Amino acid sequence: MKARVYDNILVDFNNGITTITINRPSKLNALNLETIKELHKAFKRAEKDKDTKVVIITGSGEKAFVAGADISEFADFSVSQGEKLAAEGQALLFDFVAYLSTPVIAAVNGFALGGGLELAMAAHFRIASDNAKMGLPEVSLGVIPGYGGTQRLPQLVGKGRAMELIMTASMIDASQALQYGLINHVTTQEELLPFAEKLAEKIKRNSSVAIAAAIEAINAGFEAGENGFDTEITAFGKCFGTADFAEGTQAFLEKRKPNFPGK
Ligand code: COA
């Protein structure tokens, strides 16, 4: 993938892994509209890029993944502007990431608050360093999570815990997030990205076509009005028509490692 210059994010490609780093450390990587638009472009490019097998999203600096939506941008918004902010943000970034066909790992390296936790929750799974702090503090500002947080937090940690976290506007640390199932692993700060890359390497060995089908089927189970089991049946069937399936099964029978063509 050709390098592209952004103002608020860094994008690095290495050996099948695209790492996107939100880079506004002086604002604790708060998500302003420009950053959201740049992230949309970067995720879109990564998904189109045949060489990118996994995306890692993280924050720059030692303090924050993302400390939330940029409060200075919406402090004087009206009702309709508020609604538009949430709708556009969800479409451009949060749903976009959740439904990306390329796997996305969030490497949470510090504060993940408000929109920051919502972005981490939109990723397909999360790991965090031991200094991470997570929460949805919006009600302390007189607003509610608007980038999917009221839906994805209960899906990940259960309704009661989500109710408590949102109502109290509290932050939890990495070990509590691990216990809640909000994150899958905790590492030291130094180990966070190497560990994310290690997981990405494992993912890379598998069929990217089958992984995309699995993401679609898993997501379907969380969609109102969709039957995840039906989506699974259709997606399962489709796999039988792919070159990856032919290679994967052939390799098994020939007792060798598969070399997936990715189609
Ligand atoms: N939006 C806009 N700016 C933000 C921000 C946000 N969500 N979070 C942090 N910043 C800015 C601060 O205003 C400050 O900028 P300044 O130096 O120009 O004044 C800078 O980032 C550093 O933050 P600061 O508050 O000085 O760091 P801290 O270590 O004292 O506190 C936090 C860290 C995360 C506890 C605190 O920044 C915070 O509460 N942020 C808001 C979290 C939030 O409510 N997010 C949900 C938004 S809907």
Side-chain angles (χ1 to χ4, degrees), residues 26-28 30 63 67-72 74 111 113-115 137-138 140-141 143 171:
S26 68
K27 296 290 172 193
L28 302 186
K63 221 170 144 181
D70 193 320
I71 298 167
S72 65
F74 59 76
F111 287 114
L113 302 174
E138 285 86 347
S140 70
L141 297 166
V143 69
M171 291 185 210

Side-chain angles (χ1 to χ4, degrees), residues 72-143:
S72 65
E73 263 192 357
F74 59 76
D76 61 354
F77 271 16
S78 66
V79 170
S80 59
Q81 285 174 307
E83 200 175 319
K84 189 162 170 257
L85 181 77
E88 280 184 358
Q90 289 191 18
L92 273 177
L93 185 59
F94 300 84
D95 280 356
F96 194 77
V97 167
Y99 292 105
L100 212 74
S101 57
T102 308
V104 180
I105 305 173
V108 178
N109 58 311
F111 287 114
L113 302 174
L117 181 55
E118 289 172 304
L119 179 58
M121 292 194 295
H124 297 131
F125 63 89
R126 292 141 293 285
I127 64 173
S129 52
D130 49 18
N131 65 323
K133 291 251 178 349
M134 284 156 261
L136 294 178
E138 285 86 347
V139 298
S140 70
L141 297 166
V143 69

Side-chain angles (χ1 to χ4, degrees), residues 127-131 174 185-193 195-196:
I127 64 173
S129 52
D130 49 18
N131 65 323
H185 305 274
V186 182
T187 70
T188 61
Q189 282 173 266
E190 299 71 43
E191 274 302 306
L192 183 66
L193 282 183
F195 186 70

Side-chain angles (χ1 to χ4, degrees), residues 8-160:
N8 303 290
I9 63 174
L10 305 169
V11 181
D12 175 63
F13 175 80
N14 189 22
N15 199 19
I17 304 169
T18 290
T19 301
I20 302 175
T21 306
I22 300 157
N23 190 32
R24 298 180 76 212
S26 68
K27 296 290 172 193
L28 302 186
N29 303 321
L31 293 176
N32 58 4
L33 188 58
E34 270 313 302
T35 308
I36 287 179
K37 284 182 179 164
E38 289 189 355
L39 285 167
H40 173 80
K41 278 188 198 148
F43 275 108
K44 197 169 175 178
R45 278 171 67 85
E47 187 179 44
K48 275 198 183 147
D49 175 32
K50 287 270 160 278
D51 295 330
T52 293
K53 302 296 179 196
V54 180
V55 180
I56 297 171
I57 174 87
T58 193
S60 80
E62 292 185 351
K63 221 170 144 181
F65 173 72
V66 170
D70 193 320
I71 298 167
S72 65
E73 263 192 357
F74 59 76
D76 61 354
F77 271 16
S78 66
V79 170
S80 59
Q81 285 174 307
E83 200 175 319
K84 189 162 170 257
L85 181 77
E88 280 184 358
Q90 289 191 18
L92 273 177
L93 185 59
F94 300 84
D95 280 356
F96 194 77
V97 167
Y99 292 105
L100 212 74
S101 57
T102 308
V104 180
I105 305 173
V108 178
N109 58 311
F111 287 114
L113 302 174
L117 181 55
E118 289 172 304
L119 179 58
M121 292 194 295
H124 297 131
F125 63 89
R126 292 141 293 285
I127 64 173
S129 52
D130 49 18
N131 65 323
K133 291 251 178 349
M134 284 156 261
L136 294 178
E138 285 86 347
V139 298
S140 70
L141 297 166
V143 69
I144 66 165
Y147 289 147
T150 64
Q151 305 305 300
R152 291 197 177 100
L153 188 62
Q155 285 169 3
L156 287 165
V157 306
K159 189 176 171 185

